[in-house]
Amino acid sequence: MHALKKNRPLRRVVLASAATVSGVVMLLSLKPHTPPEIAAAPAPAASAGAGASARSGGGSGSGSDDGSSGGSGASSGTRTVTGETVRTRWGPVRVRITLKNGRITDVTAVSYPTDNPRDQEINSYALPQLRREALAAQSADIDSVSGATYTSDGYRQSLQSALDSAGL
């Protein structure tokens, strides 16, 4: 005998209702992606702590701030400038550059999307490539990394804001 016989409409209604309720419960139990504003709160705090300990650990961190405050020291000393945090679809991106004698010597991604394993996978290959391109170009005129378009755009914008802050 078939469970949904035509002479048993109540059974059909009960089964359809149970299937609908199950589907709604499964949809409501899905976890939505965290908006960038919420995801950004823990990332900068952890990054800022690491950056602060790196700056306070080395004597050159405080010396570079003194060198960049003078008019002629700004172009001849080593200094670090952090760009603005750029909100992307998948999370915030922020870049810090190190300048020596007016040239970019290092580019570091201070914050970037790490909410899920896919973000981590994408950024593990995209960030080193973006860094290499920024160092080679000595500007924010760099190509996007295929598969990491949002991160590339955020990286480029934050890099440009750091360069603008540095006066380059």
Side-chain angles (χ1 to χ4, degrees):
M1 294 201 147
H2 193 269
L4 299 175
K5 287 177 79 175
K6 291 187 180 198
N7 61 359
R8 301 205 183 230
L10 186 58
R11 182 178 290 178
R12 202 176 326 162
V13 169
V14 169
L15 286 174
S17 299
T20 302
V21 168
S22 298
V24 169
V25 167
M26 289 187 344
L27 283 173
L28 292 176
S29 68
L30 288 175
K31 182 182 175 212
H33 189 275
T34 307
E37 292 78 28
I38 295 172
S47 298
S53 64
R55 268 185 254 122
S56 64
S60 63
S62 61
S64 65
D65 290 339
D66 295 335
S68 65
S69 64
S72 63
S75 62
S76 63
T78 300
R79 61 185 176 142
T80 303
V81 181
T82 304
E84 295 177 2
T85 300
V86 178
R87 306 268 180 219
T88 68
R89 178 177 177 179
W90 303 113
V93 177
R94 189 171 194 186
V95 175
R96 177 180 299 133
I97 60 172
T98 303
L99 302 165
K100 184 172 185 175
N101 298 329
R103 290 192 45 87
I104 302 171
T105 58
D106 191 26
V107 182
T108 306
V110 177
S111 63
Y112 50 90
T114 57
D115 288 345
N116 60 56
R118 181 69 177 142
D119 288 342
Q120 295 168 7
E121 177 186 356
I122 289 170
N123 291 322
S124 70
Y125 72 83
L127 293 176
Q129 188 170 341
L130 291 166
R131 179 182 180 274
R132 279 192 303 273
E133 287 197 29
L135 289 173
Q138 289 292 305
S139 72
D141 187 22
I142 57 176
D143 293 331
S144 292
V145 175
S146 179
T149 306
Y150 292 104
T151 299
S152 297
D153 290 344
Y155 192 97
R156 189 180 308 107
Q157 291 173 24
S158 183
L159 177 60
Q160 184 62 56
S161 74
L163 290 169
D164 291 345
S165 295
L168 296 177

